[in-house]
Amino acid sequence: MGEAQEILDRGYDAFNRGDVEALLEMMEPDFVWHEAEEVPGRKTAIGRNEFADYLRGFERLWESFEFELLELDDLGDHTALAKMRTHARGRASGEQMELVIYHLWRFRNGRVARMDAYLDENEARDAALAQEARPGA
């Protein structure tokens, strides 16, 4: 997996530490974050500034929120699929939550260019194939 593994290890570690600046440095300026449709709230952040705002929203909703990388699959053509487990505790409710989610990553120039989240692995893989089929994607 090489470069993608190293980039994502650093990125998830920075997220778990709450180091927004380290995350932003790893992104292309036009980075796109697209949350899974089933997840409530904001779905898309375009660009570093919007993504930073999106991350700051986590502090209002979650007492704690961490990602654990379970598997990473190199799909070729600067694309990787990360199987993640989230560990979170709601700020208002105190309820703990665990969820498996799939992050479909695209890289450009040694940085992250796009992330699309899915709750279903087959849906994530289908999206990767659809992206691969589009010229210039």
Side-chain angles (χ1 to χ4, degrees), residues 15 35 39-41 54-67 86-99:
F15 178 91
E35 191 54 78
V39 174
Y54 174 81
L55 289 177
R56 289 184 189 102
F58 275 71
E59 296 171 9
R60 292 188 302 273
L61 300 174
W62 303 102
E63 183 178 316
S64 63
F65 195 104
E66 293 185 353
F67 285 113
T86 60
H87 303 274
R89 179 185 300 275
R91 183 162 301 283
S93 69
E95 292 288 322
Q96 291 199 63
M97 176 201 77
E98 279 195 17
L99 173 71

Side-chain angles (χ1 to χ4, degrees), residues 69 73 110 126:
L69 180 60
D73 190 2
D126 288 348

Side-chain angles (χ1 to χ4, degrees), residues 65-137:
F65 195 104
E66 293 185 353
F67 285 113
E68 174 189 1
L69 180 60
L70 301 174
E71 295 175 24
L72 188 61
D73 190 2
D74 184 349
L75 302 177
D77 197 31
H78 309 289
T79 304
L81 181 62
K83 179 180 181 180
M84 308 300 302
R85 178 175 293 128
T86 60
H87 303 274
R89 179 185 300 275
R91 183 162 301 283
S93 69
E95 292 288 322
Q96 291 199 63
M97 176 201 77
E98 279 195 17
L99 173 71
V100 172
I101 192 164
Y102 298 87
H103 287 167
L104 180 59
W105 291 97
R106 292 172 184 91
F107 304 92
R108 186 173 66 235
N109 304 320
R111 295 178 171 199
V112 292
R114 183 180 178 98
M115 194 293 305
D116 293 281
Y118 300 89
L119 297 186
D120 180 83
E121 182 177 7
N122 291 328
E123 193 177 333
R125 289 187 183 281
D126 288 348
L129 290 172
Q131 181 73 20
E132 184 179 295
R134 289 197 305 264

